[in-house]
């Protein structure tokens, strides 16, 4: 339901996509869940198009989709620069875990970033 509201299409996720759940330390009673969904390029393009055109909460709850840069530039750009920004709660740790789990970035690259 949340994904449909925020991206405008039904995205099937299930137990196999669930990675972690965390109890929020800043908001008692709030539990956050983290999922990973592998998609083809055409599925991702459809999702991004729907998010702008169909999503009821696009621009309200969700301020848009973000593509994480999986590259490194000589002067610290790319992933290191992206990771230098503020992240809410434990989302930075969840992102890094997902990048490594999906083998998109090596442990060495994560440490370098």
């Amino acid at each position: 339901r949340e994904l449909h509201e925020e991206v405008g299409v039904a995205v099937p996720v299930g137990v196999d996509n669930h990675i972690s759940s965390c109890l929020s330390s800043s908001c008692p009673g709030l539990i956050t869940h983290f999922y990973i969904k592998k998609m083809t390029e055409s599925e991702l393009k459809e999702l991004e198009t729907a998010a702008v055109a169909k999503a009821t909460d696009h621009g309200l709850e969700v301020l848009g989709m973000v593509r994480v840069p999986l590259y490194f530039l000589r002067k610290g750009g790319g992933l290191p620069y992206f990771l230098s920004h503020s992240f809410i709660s434990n989302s930075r740790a969840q992102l890094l875990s997902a990048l490594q789990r999906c083998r998109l970035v090596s442990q060495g690259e994560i440490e370098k970033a």
Side-chain angles (χ1 to χ4, degrees), residues 36 38 68-72 79 95-107 109-110:
I36 293 175
K38 292 185 181 186
V68 177
L70 300 180
Y71 55 85
F72 292 73
L79 183 60
L95 170 63
L96 291 174
S97 174
L99 292 176
Q100 188 174 12
R101 176 182 228 132
C102 293
R103 294 186 168 96
L104 296 172
V105 179
S106 71
Q107 178 63 34
E109 289 171 318
I110 288 174

Side-chain angles (χ1 to χ4, degrees), residues 30-98:
L30 177 66
I31 300 173
T32 60
H33 303 281
F34 190 75
Y35 293 81
I36 293 175
K37 177 75 174 179
K38 292 185 181 186
M39 304 176 87
T40 65
E41 183 177 352
S42 62
E43 289 171 328
L44 181 59
K45 286 180 179 179
E46 179 185 339
L47 182 79
E48 289 177 329
T49 300
V52 175
K54 300 178 186 176
T56 58
D57 287 339
H58 188 271
L60 301 172
E61 287 183 19
V62 178
L63 299 177
M65 297 182 76
V66 175
R67 289 190 177 199
V68 177
L70 300 180
Y71 55 85
F72 292 73
L73 298 176
R74 285 189 203 124
K75 295 183 180 183
L79 183 60
Y81 181 74
F82 182 84
L83 294 174
S84 73
H85 290 81
S86 296
F87 288 78
I88 191 165
S89 188
N90 59 346
S91 59
R92 184 179 191 274
Q94 289 172 323
L95 170 63
L96 291 174
S97 174

